[in-house]
Amino acid sequence: MAIYDNMQAMEEEIIKCMKCGNCQAVCPVYKEVSTESGVARGKIQLAAKILRGEAKYTPELYKKFDLCLQCQACSANCPCGVKAHKIIMAARAELTRQDMLPFAKKAAFNVLRRPALFDFGLRLGSTFQSLAFKKNDTGMSPRFPIGLEMRRVIPALADKPLRSELPEVNAVANAKRKVAFFTGCVTNYIYTNVGKAVVEVLNHNGVDVIIPKEQHCCGAPATINGDIETGKAMAKSHVDIFSKLDVEAIITVCGTCGGTFEQKYLELLADDPVYAEKAKVVASKIRDIAEYLVDELQVDFSQLGNVPITFTYHEPCHIGRGMGLTRQPLEMLTKLPGITYKPMSQPNRCCGGAGSFSLTNYDVSYGILQKKIDDIQSTNANVVVTGCGSCRMQLEDGLAQGKLPHKVMHVIEVVQQAYRNAK
């Protein structure tokens, strides 16, 4: 039984909860709202009530389960090993089946399920974004209420999507390896320089890079919010796209995308007689760019060019706790010549972004973000490095709100700079 198809599949996980409340100490949301339903223990008890038929499926109940970042801090620190984040996702799926998914999310996921329409909408948005947003030194803010917090600072959409700028096959002479690159939406439509850095660095190391044109959103926003049918459709599509490629790895630059391929596709398609095994093969090839450079290519970063910056590192939840990659990004960055690392006190504490969470719960999200910004300021670093485009958007908003001068970079952009400075 797939875990998102029926709440009964989570019954044993729910029973494991001893109600000790240890999750309160690590839950960023609980520290902002201080309510029992804001923390994993309270949500698990609500899930138990659903199983017993004691809780009604209402929009209010959906809001309670919506108040979770999926940062996985509760699961990572639970003494009983309860996978609370999966229970919460299963509950969201059940509530969505009961037609409790808010209309705006339902409409957004319907568009997301149609890649051509989604792509058309964002290209159109790139052309006309100045009508709805005013530009400033740090990004753009809404000119009038359009569903976003008016003080929100967001990055501009790129003039052209990455996949339109780069060819599908990015080959080099005498290549030793070949990989595919899953760009993800944020890299494709906003931070296109991150994608160009991936190709440049991999090509420099003798790796051909295939960027399938037909790829689209990984489906994480829909799946995480409980729209499992959309998540399954997008999982099948990507399993088909990447299964036919003869590559040794599929590179990702976002922990949410990587974790979705690596874990959620297996869970979504577990009972599918056609796709379950194919999904496992695709999942086995997923490598975050830092993981691939450090563990697979074993690059000697100490021989690259000077990178004279003082940086601090924000560890994205879905790369650290999700994909288990806590060593590789810092091992790569700290070996670069000329670079100085100033760690935060809690580099793996969630920034409060969590995709759509920061859109629908901005005040809670901003409270969590402020603690991250305070931590960044305490380091005296001038650059914040991270490995996730969604976290980057959130951090840039917080730094702009605080009128702070820090620059935010993706890990691969720092490495790209080291290669360029070596020439």
Side-chain angles (χ1 to χ4, degrees), residues 113-151:
R113 195 168 179 171
R114 297 164 175 78
L117 180 60
F118 181 64
D119 183 66
F120 174 76
L122 287 180
R123 286 172 184 265
L124 201 64
S126 171
T127 302
F128 296 106
Q129 56 189 330
S130 61
L131 297 178
F133 296 92
K134 55 187 175 186
K135 288 188 177 180
N136 53 46
D137 293 340
T138 53
M140 302 192 309
S141 296
R143 292 184 185 276
F144 43 82
I146 53 172
L148 283 177
E149 173 71 27
M150 290 297 289
R151 58 179 161 155

Side-chain angles (χ1 to χ4, degrees), residues 4 52-53 98 134:
Y4 306 134
R52 294 195 297 267
Q98 301 296 328
K134 55 187 175 186

Side-chain angles (χ1 to χ4, degrees), residues 147-168:
L148 283 177
E149 173 71 27
M150 290 297 289
R151 58 179 161 155
R152 181 88 193 234
V153 176
I154 62 172
L157 289 167
D159 292 338
K160 289 181 67 176
L162 175 73
R163 295 196 293 271
S164 294
E165 285 200 75
L166 296 181
E168 185 156 0

Side-chain angles (χ1 to χ4, degrees), residues 355-372:
S356 62
F357 183 90
S358 64
L359 301 178
T360 56
N361 301 281
Y362 188 77
D363 288 339
V364 175
S365 171
Y366 191 74
I368 297 167
L369 172 61
Q370 188 57 56
K371 292 180 175 61
K372 175 63 68 173

